[in-house]
Amino acid sequence: EAGVAQSPRYKIIEKRQSVAFWCNPISGHATLYWYQQILGQGPKLLIQFQNNGVVDDSQLPKDRFSAERLKGVDSTLKIQPAKLEDSAVYLCASSLAGGWNGYTFGSGTRLTVV
Amino acid sequence: AQTVTQSQPEMSVQEAETVTLSCTYDTSESDYYLFWYKQPPSRQMILVIRQEAYKQQNATENRFSVNFQKAAKSFSLKISDSQLGDAAMYFCAYRAGTYKYIFGTGTRLKVLA
């Protein structure tokens, strides 16, 4: 089966600019996750979708981050305006409902804010 | 609050030898799952092994096995016959109920030829 696709792979922007990341999960996976991984740390969940509804966005900085999952398939994560501390790898993952068998992750987008 | 601790920032092992990566966690739940993920330089997190807390038997997947000590809240990963391709960051993760995964800070494993 095809894996979780993410783009772009790398992105460099100046602070206060906006940026968007795209994720295409594995076909049939109802649950989609966006994680932020700052260098030297473990991934931290930003938002979790079940189909096209939000299950958990408690750690999403909603003043600058937004995400959507149209038609319960693809998802985009946007940052506007970006801050220096947003420099990180943004990982998308998907799973069957519940995720008890583990998640399938994409290769992530490395964002550098200068 | 649930926490996951990986106290070894970096470990080294000779090729073909065995290495154990440590993970401890804190929870008041009785039913949960534990995972080890591998993250190579390609950045893609790959599931290595999972353990259901209600199972007494330790999970094994080929050269990878865990030592799950529920009372001690310990979940270590043993890699036997280490290979160069095992070099990566290894993350321990916990999940219970509808809670999100909680990841540790990772252990960087170096495999020496």
Side-chain angles (χ1 to χ4, degrees):
Chain A
E1 69 184 354
V4 175
Q6 286 190 249
S7 67
R9 187 145 173 82
Y10 301 92
K11 190 73 176 179
I12 301 175
I13 62 172
E14 296 182 348
K15 60 184 179 184
R16 292 187 290 275
Q17 286 187 325
S18 62
V19 65
F21 313 125
W22 173 81
C23 173
N24 182 237
I26 288 178
S27 177
H29 279 192
T31 312
L32 184 147
Y33 317 81
W34 282 102
Y35 278 83
Q36 180 191 57
Q37 186 178 18
I38 293 173
L39 186 64
Q41 299 181 18
K44 180 186 81 172
L45 180 70
L46 292 176
I47 189 166
Q48 176 181 340
F49 291 94
Q50 182 75 18
N51 296 309
N52 61 348
V54 175
V55 174
D56 184 348
D57 64 356
S58 57
Q59 297 192 89
L60 186 73
K62 297 180 186 64
D63 58 333
R64 298 183 302 105
F65 286 65
S66 65
E68 62 181 4
R69 189 182 184 195
L70 298 176
K71 300 180 181 179
V73 182
D74 293 10
S75 178
T76 56
L77 176 69
K78 297 179 181 178
I79 308 175
Q80 182 179 13
K83 293 185 176 182
L84 296 176
E85 59 261 35
D86 298 331
S87 294
V89 173
Y90 290 84
L91 294 165
C92 179
S94 69
S95 72
L96 296 170
W100 304 112
N101 288 324
Y103 300 170
T104 301
F105 283 83
S107 296
T109 297
R110 181 180 297 280
L111 174 67
T112 303
V113 182
V114 298
Chain B
Q2 292 86 2
T3 58
V4 175
T5 302
Q6 293 179 251
S7 59
Q8 306 154 316
E10 189 171 295
M11 294 282 285
S12 295
V13 62
Q14 289 285 347
E15 198 175 3
E17 296 294 309
T18 296
V19 64
T20 299
L21 308 184
S22 300
C23 173
T24 58
Y25 58 95
D26 187 24
T27 184
S28 57
E29 301 287 338
S30 59
D31 189 18
Y32 51 88
Y33 290 71
L34 296 164
F35 305 83
W36 277 99
Y37 279 88
K38 170 185 177 181
Q39 187 177 41
S42 66
R43 300 198 302 257
Q44 185 176 16
M45 303 274 281
I46 301 166
L47 178 63
V48 174
I49 199 166
R50 66 190 281 270
Q51 173 81 41
E52 297 96 328
Y54 64 87
K55 288 189 176 179
Q56 301 271 8
Q57 188 172 8
N58 288 324
T60 62
E61 286 288 342
N62 301 312
R63 297 183 296 107
F64 299 88
S65 61
V66 299
N67 183 4
F68 174 48
Q69 302 289 328
K70 190 172 184 179
K73 296 179 181 175
S74 171
F75 182 61
S76 59
L77 174 70
K78 185 172 83 171
I79 305 174
S80 304
D81 185 25
S82 296
Q83 301 174 0
L84 295 177
D86 295 332
M89 285 290 291
Y90 285 81
F91 289 94
C92 178
Y94 161 99
R95 178 174 173 136
T98 58
Y99 301 144
K100 52 188 172 287
Y101 269 25
I102 298 172
F103 285 90
T105 53
T107 297
R108 180 174 301 280
L109 178 66
K110 294 185 176 181
V111 181
L112 308 174

